[in-house]
């Protein structure tokens, strides 16, 4: 089904090997029915870490710090290293900053997707998320991510707490 295809691509990203593996799981799961539904994809497919980071930043962007922190703690319980999560948060804020700057120059979703090297539907999601932040806030968020990494590496703060503080700070600003 069309909705199942869209969800599969969202969950797997653009890595063809990952798409092949996840599609094979779906086909095996639904073999007797001959049709794969959105619910099947939701049940079977593994979601990429970057999708969860996107959702976490979306909660931050909309001021839903409890949901953002819950998702963060879920990632920690899945043994995701806080420093990897911090790296992906920094990357996400950087992509949002670039999107915001390109949008301010008047570029549309197609051009933004080309310049960022992402699919148009992802550029659209970045545009929606970036709209919740001022440019200066996004720039400061990127800088704070760098500072948080430095603070962790120099022992000033724990890795878990550094991410918590970032999420709390930016869910209160947006």
């Amino acid at each position: 089904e069309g909705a199942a295809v869209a969800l599969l691509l969202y969950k797997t990203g653009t890595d063809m090997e990952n798409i092949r593996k996840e599609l094979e799981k779906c086909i095996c799961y639904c073999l007797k029915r001959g049709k794969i539904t959105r619910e099947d994809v939701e049940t079977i497919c593994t979601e990429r870490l970057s999708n969860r980071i996107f959702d976490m930043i979306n909660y931050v962007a909309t001021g839903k710090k409890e949901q953002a922190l819950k998702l963060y703690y879920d990632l920690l319980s899945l043994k995701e290293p806080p420093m990897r999560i911090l790296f992906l948060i920094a990357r996400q804020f950087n992509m949002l900053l670039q999107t915001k700057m390109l949008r301010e120059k008047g570029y549309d979703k197609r051009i933004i997707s080309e310049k960022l090297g992402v699919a148009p539907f992802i550029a659209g999601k970045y545009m929606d998320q970036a709209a919740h932040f001022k440019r200066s806030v996004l720039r400061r968020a990127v800088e704070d991510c760098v500072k948080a990494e430095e603070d962790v590496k120099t022992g000033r703060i724990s890795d878990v707490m550094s991410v918590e503080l970032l999420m709390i700070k930016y869910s209160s600003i947006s």
Side-chain angles (χ1 to χ4, degrees):
E1 296 181 344
V5 172
L7 182 59
L8 177 75
L9 292 175
Y10 172 74
K11 284 184 162 253
T12 59
T14 57
D15 177 18
M16 292 303 287
E17 183 61 24
N18 193 34
I19 292 171
R20 185 192 65 74
K21 287 177 184 176
E22 295 299 321
L23 186 57
E24 187 175 329
K25 287 189 331 191
C26 287
I27 290 170
C28 290
Y29 182 75
C30 301
L31 192 59
K32 294 188 181 186
R33 283 189 280 138
K35 167 173 108 169
I36 300 171
T37 66
R38 181 177 169 77
E39 291 75 26
D40 297 326
V41 172
E42 195 67 57
T43 302
I44 298 302
C45 291
T46 305
E47 192 166 359
R48 295 176 307 151
L49 176 60
S50 59
N51 288 353
R52 291 183 181 190
I53 299 297
F54 186 90
D55 292 340
M56 200 165 59
I57 297 297
N58 204 44
Y59 288 137
V60 168
T62 55
K64 298 176 181 173
K65 75 176 139 200
E66 290 81 15
Q67 290 96 326
L69 289 170
K70 181 187 180 317
L71 192 48
Y72 176 54
Y73 299 136
D74 288 348
L75 290 170
L76 291 176
S77 71
L78 293 171
K79 306 286 187 226
E80 286 297 336
M83 291 306 284
R84 182 186 308 167
I85 295 170
L86 177 59
F87 166 78
L88 291 170
I89 289 171
R91 182 183 179 281
Q92 184 71 14
F93 276 129
N94 188 42
M95 294 297 273
L96 294 178
L97 176 59
Q98 290 178 55
T99 300
K100 186 81 163 180
M101 290 167 44
L102 292 169
R103 193 73 186 119
E104 288 171 355
K105 290 181 179 180
Y107 293 120
D108 65 6
K109 180 169 60 173
R110 185 183 60 79
I111 300 295
I112 291 172
S113 75
E114 288 173 11
K115 291 197 176 281
L116 295 179
V118 298
F121 79 94
I122 293 174
K125 290 181 177 227
Y126 285 161
M127 290 167 64
D128 292 342
Q129 227 177 48
H132 290 279
F133 293 99
K134 292 179 182 176
R135 182 181 185 180
S136 60
V137 170
L138 289 170
R139 183 175 309 279
R140 194 167 60 244
V142 172
E143 292 167 356
D144 283 350
C145 287
V146 171
K147 176 86 169 89
E149 181 179 0
E150 178 186 316
D151 288 347
V152 169
K153 288 182 176 179
T154 58
R156 286 188 211 121
I157 192 169
S158 76
D159 53 359
V160 173
M161 187 175 290
S162 68
V163 177
E164 288 174 350
L165 291 173
L166 276 170
M167 287 192 300
I168 291 168
K169 178 178 181 177
Y170 288 96
S171 62
S172 302
I173 291 176
S174 63

